[in-house]
Amino acid sequence: MFRKYKSLFILFLAVFLLVACSSETAKEQEKKKKEVNLLFNFATSSLDPNVDTSYVSLRAGITETLVHLNDKDLTIEPWLAESWDSKDGQLWEFKLREEVTFQNGKPMDGEAVKASLERAMKDSLAIKNALRIDSIEAKGNTLMIKTEGPFPEFPSELVHPNTSIIDVTESDYINKPVGTGPFAVSKFTPGTAVDLKRYDSYWGGAAKLEKARFSFNEDANARSLALESGDADIVFRPEIESLANLEAIDGVTVESTSTFRVHQMTMNLERKALQDIHVRKAIDALIDRSSIADTILQGHAEVATGPFPSTFSFAPDYPKKENGMEAAREYLEKAGYKKVHDVMQKDGKPLSFTLLTYSSRADLPLIAQVFQSDAAQLGIDVKIKQIEIPEEYMAANRDWDLTTYSNLTAPRGDAGYYLNATYHPNGALNFSGADDDHLTALIDKLNVTVGQKKRSDLAEEIAMYVDEQVYNSFILHPNTLVAYNSNKVENWITSRSEYYILTNELDVK
């Protein structure tokens, strides 16, 4: 009897150990899964690649565009389109890459791309205005695209994330767009994260990662703490004040990379006070750029004299301007304002501004506060209003005067994008309401100009005119800051365009 129980006990113990080992093995396998958690500074409630201004679908590797921007030399290069050509700058032939499939296995052919572009133009007025397409014809893997007029730089517009190619027959664009990228959507929680899984049949070669999480938190301090605690592997724009602490942690790498971005003071030209150029010059003179770059950005920025970084050939050598409190006061006096009982006023009416800002770029609210303080010394009341999505708010509301806003000005290595979007009456980012016939004519001329030298010269002329008229005020060019666990993450590249983030080459050790 004893032997019987002993045998049963040994059998039970063996089974127990086998289950325990299996459980441990499963846990170990789970640990070894190749995945990363990237924490981004913008939240989104939609993954719709054709309208989402956070561009999460492209950044997370879900979707791709026909044309790609080379971050190193700022030239455009093939992506989903392998080549393109035009004899007159108006009728374009695009050859699509062969054997590309959507994440549902369907082929990406001419008809699918045609349907995707048409859907983008239908749902986004900004894309419709940017592409200026008159017609699209598809035959096999060839597209014939006719623009409304000669448009030599048309291919560069197809770099824009909102032109991402998706399978439009899969209609849940908000929660699960089906693209051609290395990662497919597994789960989307609006405002929190998108969980991704590897698409094994990706045309560029299956991703090295099995899974990824592209999560959101607009609090810079929270992003830094998430990296410190190990809750995140990569964080975009950690809190500036935390950089020294992060760099002191073993295995944490902090990268500060120059981009094509500008922090600017966007001016609502529909507001009466701002229609006076002297008031606009006063605002520009009040901005202490060097102090902001040194204190708020702690040197991770270049002082801006215009929208384009000084390294670009189309960035003019601007004339020296008078800056500071006294210069601002003199401009306001030219506009008819006087300081009475510590209040800057004209015809008995005080000068006041509503200034919009948003926290997803942590330095912008701080810039707004500095401007508010300096303006108060001149007797100008500045009311700061926090908003969430600046593009949506500025487009839908005109109850504001100024906005601390950040924008990519030359993400394709060409000035045409920013000048069209920001100063053309039909521009997608013309929140100022700029409608200057001379300026519009110059931009229209740029749009039909061929040759980099001629385009750069004309773009420089336009930028100089914008500066003379003080249509918006430019503060600084911030670096992109990324911190990541380099003990774990491999093949990370900080994109200067900020478009390409999760790629098929990203890996873990």
Side-chain angles (χ1 to χ4, degrees):
M1 180 67 69
F2 174 75
R3 290 178 182 173
K4 179 180 179 183
Y5 283 118
K6 185 178 179 181
S7 299
L8 286 173
F9 175 76
I10 292 171
L11 180 62
F12 172 79
L13 183 62
V15 170
F16 175 80
L17 290 173
L18 183 62
V19 170
C21 290
S22 298
S23 178
E24 287 300 314
T25 302
K27 286 180 180 178
E28 287 301 314
Q29 288 176 345
E30 187 67 28
K31 285 181 182 178
K32 291 178 181 177
K33 276 191 176 179
K34 289 193 166 191
E35 56 184 289
V36 298
N37 180 19
L38 182 143
L39 191 52
F40 198 58
N41 60 307
F42 269 106
T44 185
S45 58
S46 169
L47 293 180
D48 188 337
N50 299 141
V51 297
D52 172 33
T53 55
S54 297
Y55 310 148
V56 169
S57 287
L58 185 86
R59 286 169 164 158
I62 302 164
T63 63
E64 298 170 312
T65 51
L66 294 179
V67 180
H68 188 273
L69 179 71
N70 186 309
D71 264 359
K72 293 181 181 178
D73 60 15
L74 307 183
T75 58
I76 59 173
E77 59 191 14
W79 208 8
L80 292 180
E82 63 180 18
S83 66
W84 51 85
D85 188 38
S86 175
K87 291 182 172 60
D88 59 5
Q90 184 172 10
L91 185 61
W92 294 86
E93 180 178 282
F94 281 78
K95 296 284 188 183
L96 303 179
R97 194 176 293 276
E98 300 283 345
E99 298 182 0
V100 176
T101 58
F102 292 106
Q103 290 140 1
N104 56 12
K106 294 181 182 178
M108 184 211 74
D109 57 16
E111 287 295 340
V113 173
K114 176 179 183 289
S116 182
L117 290 175
E118 289 176 341
R119 187 262 164 175
M121 292 187 291
K122 175 178 173 290
D123 284 30
S124 171
L125 180 61
I127 289 300
K128 184 176 185 293
N129 289 337
L131 297 183
R132 286 174 268 165
I133 291 177
D134 180 63
S135 64
I136 306 176
E137 292 183 13
K139 185 176 181 181
N141 266 29
T142 300
L143 283 182
M144 298 301 298
I145 300 178
K146 182 181 179 183
T147 55
E148 293 169 353
F151 192 2
E153 295 301 312
F154 171 68
S156 70
E157 292 295 332
L158 297 173
V159 168
H160 197 290
N162 288 152
T163 67
S164 286
I165 304 304
I166 56 174
D167 180 0
V168 298
T169 66
E170 300 276 4
S171 58
D172 191 4
Y173 310 121
I174 292 176
N175 297 298
K176 198 172 183 179
V178 177
T180 60
F183 296 103
V185 177
S186 175
K187 179 184 177 183
F188 175 52
T189 306
T192 301
V194 54
D195 291 300
L196 306 154
K197 58 185 178 182
R198 178 169 60 199
Y199 175 48
D200 291 329
S201 298
Y202 176 57
W203 64 268
K208 291 180 168 60
L209 296 175
E210 295 174 62
K211 299 195 299 184
R213 183 164 233 242
F214 197 101
S215 47
F216 321 120
N217 195 316
E218 297 187 350
D219 186 325
N221 180 53
R223 293 196 297 274
S224 295
L225 291 175
L227 183 64
E228 288 186 37
S229 67
D231 289 339
D233 303 307
I234 306 166
V235 296
F236 250 67
R237 298 184 182 86
E239 186 180 44
I240 293 279
E241 290 79 7
S242 73
L243 293 184
N245 289 339
L246 291 176
E247 289 174 324
I249 298 172
D250 179 49
V252 168
T253 296
V254 176
E255 293 186 358
S256 179
T257 306
S258 63
T259 65
F260 325 121
R261 180 172 293 282
V262 71
H263 284 356
Q264 66 184 49
M265 187 73 79
T266 296
M267 303 185 190
N268 183 353
L269 301 176
E270 295 176 10
R271 305 289 268 190
K272 186 175 180 180
L274 293 174
Q275 290 173 358
D276 190 321
I277 190 173
H278 296 298
V279 175
R280 302 198 297 272
K281 286 184 176 181
I283 291 169
D284 186 72
L286 263 179
I287 300 171
D288 190 344
R289 294 162 175 81
S290 295
S291 176
I292 290 171
D294 291 340
T295 57
I296 296 177
L297 275 295
Q298 295 186 8
H300 294 280
E302 172 193 343
V303 168
T305 51
F308 308 114
S310 58
T311 51
F312 284 106
S313 60
F314 41 79
D317 291 324
Y318 294 100
K320 185 174 175 57
K321 299 177 185 176
E322 294 296 324
N323 289 307
M325 202 69 64
E326 286 307 310
R329 190 193 309 275
E330 289 176 11
Y331 284 128
L332 289 174
E333 287 176 355
K334 289 179 181 179
Y337 288 88
K338 289 186 178 180
K339 195 175 182 181
V340 180
H341 303 303
D342 291 328
V343 176
M344 190 64 70
Q345 54 184 271
K346 178 180 180 180
D347 300 329
K349 294 182 179 180
L351 181 61
S352 64
F353 298 121
T354 295
L355 172 58
L356 306 179
T357 192
Y358 50 104
S359 61
S360 52
R361 297 193 183 278
D363 33 342
L364 295 183
L366 298 177
I367 293 172
Q369 290 169 20
V370 169
F371 180 81
Q372 180 188 50
S373 176
D374 291 343
Q377 294 182 51
L378 272 182
I380 302 171
D381 179 40
V382 175
K383 294 180 176 64
I384 296 176
K385 182 175 181 177
Q386 289 275 347
I387 57 175
E388 290 188 5
I389 304 176
E391 293 83 5
E392 289 183 8
Y393 190 94
M394 288 190 286
N397 302 278
R398 306 309 288 169
D399 59 350
W400 55 276
D401 300 285
L402 306 168
T403 305
T404 54
Y405 182 57
S406 188
N407 191 21
L408 288 168
T409 56
R412 295 149 223 182
D414 186 87
Y417 160 75
Y418 175 81
L419 296 176
N420 272 280
T422 309
Y423 300 109
H424 198 283
N426 296 327
L429 304 177
N430 187 359
F431 305 121
S432 291
D435 193 357
D436 180 322
D437 290 343
H438 178 66
L439 180 56
T440 302
L442 287 174
I443 296 171
D444 286 339
K445 182 179 178 183
L446 176 67
N447 291 336
V448 296
T449 298
V450 181
Q452 191 56 53
K453 178 66 168 63
K454 290 181 180 179
R455 289 184 62 79
S456 291
D457 290 346
L458 186 52
E460 187 174 340
E461 180 183 348
I462 297 171
M464 189 68 80
Y465 180 78
V466 167
D467 179 69
E468 291 169 0
Q469 299 302 315
V470 200
Y471 291 151
N472 299 327
S473 188
F474 306 98
I475 304 170
L476 49 85
H477 302 290
N479 287 3
T480 285
L481 292 169
V482 177
Y484 61 97
N485 179 359
S486 50
N487 280 341
K488 175 181 179 180
V489 177
E490 280 191 315
N491 302 337
W492 169 260
I493 296 176
T494 301
S495 166
R496 294 178 66 199
S497 67
E498 303 178 12
Y499 285 168
Y500 316 115
I501 295 180
L502 292 185
T503 70
N504 64 325
E505 292 299 321
L506 188 63
D507 202 357
V508 293
K509 295 177 182 178

